[in-house]
């Protein structure tokens, strides 16, 4: 290995050491589609068991120290005790996800509902989530609204935006100094005509209107097919309005598959824009979260695999020869510039990552380490009886 290769390796490993990926509590629980939820053995029955599983992912990967919660799926009597339990397990509680998409009252919308009483109820839930953040020590309130309509004329598109803006304003004004509001957009589902926060532009406009503590969440499964997501990343980064990712992958719609599974090249292009924007480190303030559903595959290995997929895409992005790329771009060398990026993408970074894990005192192969750990046999034996956790309250 040449001296410059060694320097590049060290630079890449240094950057990967500070990478942080947040795993979602609900990915450890049962999930499915409208057709079927296939329960799995050993699935957690409460937020404590979800956190225990998340802690295993962190112990084996070294880069997943926080767990996002979803309310009411993760409602407990004592959030401070849950936060202490997480700390004892070596992790911390991350973003708090509000849920105004599962109550009968929200059929025609939550914060955009024509009925002011229903809007009040929804806003009170958002404010309750900020109260929970005060107790868990979480920085981020993540808001995704299923709100939308199914037929033209069903409701007034503009009036719904007014209602949304009013709810966001009241919630924003409740935030503490070190808290943020993350607004997530989604093109469609469960609404099939007009979604009230359908795209990055709508989310961006509302966040601009709210203020500096409001940022946009990019869920990689929430775009129309063919959308250039890395363009949205570059644009929002430049505007200082990219707050977080909900990483997953899809072949068709919001499939919530393992990130990098359906389109590893897209994940690489996204992480390249993060590296190019010098936004990989915690100081950049971007929350790199997974938001996935492991409907048929074993959940903990799937989440470990997903964390590794993000690491691999990031390592490849860090290997891009920035000087050569800039020179080719400046020279208008189309094929040359593309080749610089593809060289990095085609680099097998698994040996480098295995080396890094060994240097961090971790098993170079976390998937094999999990299989050898006997953890699944342990939870399968222990977690008998009780109600398995899922997308129900
Ligand atoms: C909506 C979404 C949102 C979460 C939910 C679990 O599709 O991406 O981020 O609240 O999934
Ligand atoms: Mn999401």
């Amino acid at each position: 290995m040449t001296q410059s290769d060694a320097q590049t390796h060290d630079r890449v490993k240094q950057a990967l050491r500070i990478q942080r990926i947040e795993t979602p509590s609900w990915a450890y629980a049962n999930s499915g589609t409208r057709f079927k939820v296939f329960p799995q053995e050993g699935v957690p029955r409460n937020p404590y068991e979800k956190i225990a599983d998340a802690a295993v992912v962190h112990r084996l990967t070294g880069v997943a120290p926080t767990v996002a919660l979803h309310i009411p799926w993760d409602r407990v009597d004592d959030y401070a005790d849950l936060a202490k339990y997480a700390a004892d397990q070596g992790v911390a509680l991350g973003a708090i996800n509000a849920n105004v998409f599962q109550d009968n009252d929200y059929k025609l919308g939550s914060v955009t509902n024509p009925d002011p009483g229903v809007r009040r109820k929804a806003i009170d839930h958002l404010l309750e989530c900020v109260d929970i953040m005060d107790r868990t020590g979480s920085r981020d309130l993540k808001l995704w609204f299923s709100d939308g309509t199914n037929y033209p004329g069903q409701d007034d598109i503009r009036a719904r935006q007014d209602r949304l803006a009013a709810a966001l304003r009241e919630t924003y004004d409740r935030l503490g100094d070190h808290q943020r509001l993350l607004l997530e957009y989604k093109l469609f589902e469960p609404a099939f005509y007009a979604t009230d926060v359908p795209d990055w532009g709508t989310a961006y406009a509302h966040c601009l209107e709210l203020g500096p503590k409001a940022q946009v969440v990019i869920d990689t499964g929430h775009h129309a097919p063919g959308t250039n997501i890395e363009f949205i990343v570059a644009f929002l980064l430049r505007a200082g309005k990219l707050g977080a990712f909900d990483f997953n992958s899809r072949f068709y719609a919001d499939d919530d598959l393992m990130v990098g599974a359906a389109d590893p090249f897209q994940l690489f292009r996204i992480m390249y824009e993060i590296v190019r924007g010098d936004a990989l480190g915690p100081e950049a303030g971007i929350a790199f979260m997974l938001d996935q559903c492991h409907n048929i595959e074993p959940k903990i290995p799937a989440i470990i695999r997903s964390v590794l997929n993000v690491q691999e895409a990031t390592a490849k992005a860090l290997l891009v020869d920035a000087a050569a790329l800039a020179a080719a771009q400046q020279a208008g060398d189309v094929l040359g510039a593309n080749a610089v990026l593809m060289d990095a993408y085609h680099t097998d970074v698994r040996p480098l990552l295995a080396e890094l894990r060994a240097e961090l005192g971790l098993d170079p192969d976390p998937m094999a380490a999990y299989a050898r750990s006997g953890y699944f046999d342990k939870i399968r034996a222990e977690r008998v009886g009780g109600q398995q956790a899922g997308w129900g309250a």
Side-chain angles (χ1 to χ4, degrees):
M1 188 188 288
T2 65
Q3 200 213 358
S4 81
D5 286 351
Q7 282 162 345
T8 300
H9 265 215
D10 290 349
R11 173 179 60 76
V12 170
K13 284 196 279 186
Q14 186 43 41
L16 291 169
R17 275 193 189 87
I18 59 169
Q19 184 167 40
R20 294 292 173 266
I21 298 160
E22 183 158 306
T23 67
S25 67
W26 55 98
Y28 298 98
N30 284 327
S31 61
T33 71
R34 60 184 168 173
F35 300 106
K36 174 68 177 164
V37 171
F38 296 99
Q40 295 185 20
E41 292 179 308
V43 155
R45 283 103 28 114
N46 57 60
Y48 289 83
E49 292 181 345
K50 295 175 189 176
I51 288 167
D53 294 355
V56 170
V57 173
H58 183 47
R59 277 200 294 279
L60 294 173
T61 64
V63 294
T66 55
V67 189
L69 299 183
H70 219 297
I71 308 299
W73 301 340
D74 298 315
R75 180 167 279 143
V76 293
D77 301 336
D78 185 341
Y79 287 100
D81 179 67
L82 188 69
K84 182 180 173 319
Y85 175 78
D88 295 346
Q89 293 278 321
V91 292
L93 302 181
I96 299 297
N97 286 261
N99 180 334
V100 286
F101 54 84
Q102 287 189 311
D103 189 295
N104 292 343
D105 288 342
Y106 299 148
K107 183 171 74 178
L108 301 178
S110 65
V111 296
T112 63
N113 195 293
D115 179 333
V118 173
R119 298 201 294 272
R120 184 69 259 157
K121 175 179 177 175
I123 296 169
D124 288 346
H125 172 70
L126 306 184
L127 299 176
E128 176 208 359
C129 287
V130 183
D131 297 342
I132 292 170
M133 289 161 67
D134 293 342
R135 283 174 267 154
T136 60
S138 299
R139 172 190 64 177
D140 295 337
L141 172 68
K142 183 155 144 299
L143 302 181
W144 170 69
F145 298 104
S146 60
D147 292 45
T149 55
N150 278 359
Y151 298 97
Q154 174 186 329
D155 196 355
D156 184 79
I157 291 174
R158 184 162 172 167
R160 292 173 73 92
Q161 289 301 310
D162 294 338
R163 298 162 194 161
L164 172 64
L168 291 172
R169 169 53 61 197
E170 184 175 346
T171 308
Y172 184 92
D173 292 347
R174 165 66 184 81
L175 294 173
D177 294 344
H178 305 296
Q179 296 175 331
R180 301 190 304 176
L181 181 161
L182 302 176
L183 183 58
E184 183 176 358
Y185 59 88
K186 181 175 180 179
L187 184 63
F188 78 101
E189 189 211 31
F192 295 107
Y193 164 60
T195 294
D196 294 296
V197 187
D199 55 29
W200 72 272
T202 306
Y204 177 53
H206 278 290
C207 288
L208 275 179
E209 197 177 310
L210 288 165
K213 291 190 281 187
Q215 304 267 329
V216 178
V217 180
I218 297 179
D219 184 312
T220 47
H222 286 188
H223 304 83
T227 299
N228 185 324
I229 298 176
E230 60 270 25
F231 171 87
I232 302 170
V233 173
F235 185 96
L236 291 175
L237 260 182
R238 179 175 171 278
K241 276 297 184 189
L242 177 59
F245 285 94
D246 265 6
F247 278 140
N248 50 65
S249 71
R250 52 79 166 284
F251 290 104
Y252 303 102
D254 191 17
D255 308 351
D256 281 340
L257 301 173
M258 292 187 295
V259 62
D263 191 344
F265 185 41
Q266 180 187 62
L267 181 60
F268 161 76
R269 299 192 315 265
I270 288 170
M271 293 315 292
Y272 170 69
E273 288 304 332
I274 292 293
V275 170
R276 189 241 173 275
D278 193 20
L280 190 60
E283 74 291 340
I286 296 175
F288 297 94
M289 304 182 285
L290 302 181
D291 178 7
Q292 302 175 169
C293 296
H294 305 298
N295 301 341
I296 58 174
E297 68 270 30
K299 299 170 189 297
I300 298 169
I303 296 166
I304 294 172
R305 179 69 260 169
S306 302
V307 170
L308 305 187
N309 286 354
V310 176
Q311 283 187 304
E312 289 171 16
T314 307
K316 291 173 184 247
L318 288 161
L319 282 172
V320 171
D321 182 336
L325 181 63
Q329 290 170 340
Q330 209 47 51
D333 176 1
V334 175
L335 294 178
N338 176 249
V340 172
L341 221 68
M342 297 316 288
D343 285 349
Y345 178 64
H346 290 308
T347 303
D348 183 355
V349 293
R350 292 172 293 184
L352 179 149
L353 282 163
E355 204 177 285
L356 172 65
R357 294 186 189 109
E359 289 166 6
L360 292 169
L362 302 170
D363 188 295
D365 182 349
M367 292 293 282
Y370 176 74
R372 275 198 313 277
S373 71
Y375 185 76
F376 178 63
D377 296 336
K378 176 173 135 359
I379 57 177
R380 180 168 50 184
E382 282 172 2
R383 297 176 182 173
V384 177
Q387 173 68 44
Q388 289 191 327
W391 280 44

